Amino acid sequence: MINHLRHPEPPPSLARRKAYDGCDVREQLYGDGRGKCYLCEARVELGGFEIDHLEVQHEDPDNRRYDWRNLYCICRSCNLRRRKNTPPGGWLRPEDGPEGRLIQEIKSDEKATLFFCSRSADDREATNTAGELQRLHAEPSAKTHDLRDAIVTRLQWVQQAEKDLLEAEMSPDSENPDAVVRRREWLRTLVSRDAPFTALIRSRVSHRYRDLLD
Ligand SMILES: [Zn+2]
């Protein structure tokens, strides 16, 4: 789950309660959500993502349909598969610091064993959300298989970028003096919060390069 940003004011069409999927809403959600699905962190397209009501509409249709703080950028796969009723204790909101309340890790490289849990057993919102994330990433289906493949590929990019940077640092090339700078910037881009799957991948960045994490 991403650390979602949230513009303080709702977009105009939402404030007028005309529609929850106007162009202004979509553009603001896309920016605040860093262009990613808030649950699985897959990259989405501005014209192709869906809008999720975290507290689903049939539970409180009058109040939450046009509630700016209830809307999130979500991919089609997660929107189809995510649980639509709110569990007792509620969900963790992605702008309320999921990194401080959730453990999100990749346990092994090859099989991409993904692990989600709450940092505190007393935190019901985080416990509920971790269970849902675990299900969305690990239930046996073609969707989760493809998602894990994409996460592994991204992790391999990061590991290769670390390897290339270390090599450049250890063996400076006088004919290529910018190599270290360029490779550091490439690694910084790959592990940025704006990149896909980084809530998970950040746990695997080596201590040597943790200063590159934003
Ligand atoms: Zn998703």
Side-chain angles (χ1 to χ4, degrees):
M1 171 177 274
I2 68 168
N3 272 19
H4 199 283
L5 308 169
R6 178 66 70 183
H7 193 276
E9 297 297 327
S13 71
L14 193 66
R16 292 196 300 272
R17 298 173 72 87
K18 288 192 67 132
Y20 67 78
D21 58 353
C23 288
D24 53 348
V25 177
R26 294 186 65 84
E27 285 174 9
Q28 191 65 55
L29 272 184
Y30 189 80
D32 288 356
R34 305 171 189 272
K36 301 192 282 187
C37 168
Y38 80 99
L39 290 173
C40 75
E41 279 202 282
R43 177 72 67 208
V44 293
E45 298 297 325
L46 178 58
F49 73 89
E50 301 191 356
I51 296 178
D52 188 36
H53 290 79
L54 182 62
E55 291 182 16
V56 291
Q57 295 181 43
H58 62 77
E59 289 182 319
D60 194 359
D62 292 334
N63 287 327
R64 305 314 304 275
R65 181 188 296 264
Y66 302 107
D67 181 351
W68 174 228
R69 289 175 53 78
N70 192 38
L71 304 183
Y72 296 91
C73 176
I74 192 170
C75 74
R76 179 160 182 74
S77 171
C78 285
N79 204 17
L80 286 171
R81 295 184 300 125
R82 95 161 182 88
R83 185 175 163 180
K84 295 295 183 185
N85 57 331
T86 304
W91 299 117
L92 172 60
R93 296 167 54 76
E95 59 266 60
D96 289 347
E99 282 183 15
R101 295 167 64 183
L102 289 176
I103 296 169
Q104 306 181 79
E105 293 180 352
I106 304 174
K107 290 289 192 187
S108 79
D109 295 358
E110 294 301 323
K111 293 182 181 172
T113 305
L114 307 177
F115 177 73
F116 301 86
C117 81
S118 171
R119 292 188 186 277
S120 163
D122 298 328
D123 188 341
R124 294 291 300 279
E125 291 177 346
T127 301
N128 289 338
T129 297
E132 184 66 356
L133 289 171
Q134 191 73 50
R135 190 181 66 76
L136 288 172
H137 285 80
E139 68 182 359
S141 77
K143 295 284 185 195
T144 53
H145 187 267
D146 290 349
L147 177 60
R148 286 200 300 278
D149 274 357
I151 293 170
V152 168
T153 298
R154 199 74 192 183
L155 177 63
Q156 288 169 345
W157 286 16
V158 169
Q159 291 173 330
Q160 185 63 49
E162 283 195 358
K163 208 169 141 188
D164 292 345
L165 174 54
L166 185 63
E167 191 178 285
E169 288 174 339
M170 293 297 137
S171 311
D173 180 352
S174 56
E175 292 183 7
N176 199 2
D178 297 335
V180 170
V181 172
R182 282 190 287 101
R183 291 177 185 189
R184 274 182 70 83
E185 286 314 304
W186 173 233
L187 181 55
R188 189 195 304 278
T189 300
L190 288 177
V191 299
S192 156
R193 291 181 196 281
D194 293 333
F197 313 124
T198 42
L200 284 160
I201 284 173
R202 289 161 76 90
S203 70
R204 299 297 299 273
V205 173
S206 66
H207 287 289
R208 183 180 180 91
Y209 299 121
R210 295 197 75 82
D211 64 307
L212 296 178
L213 297 176
D214 56 2

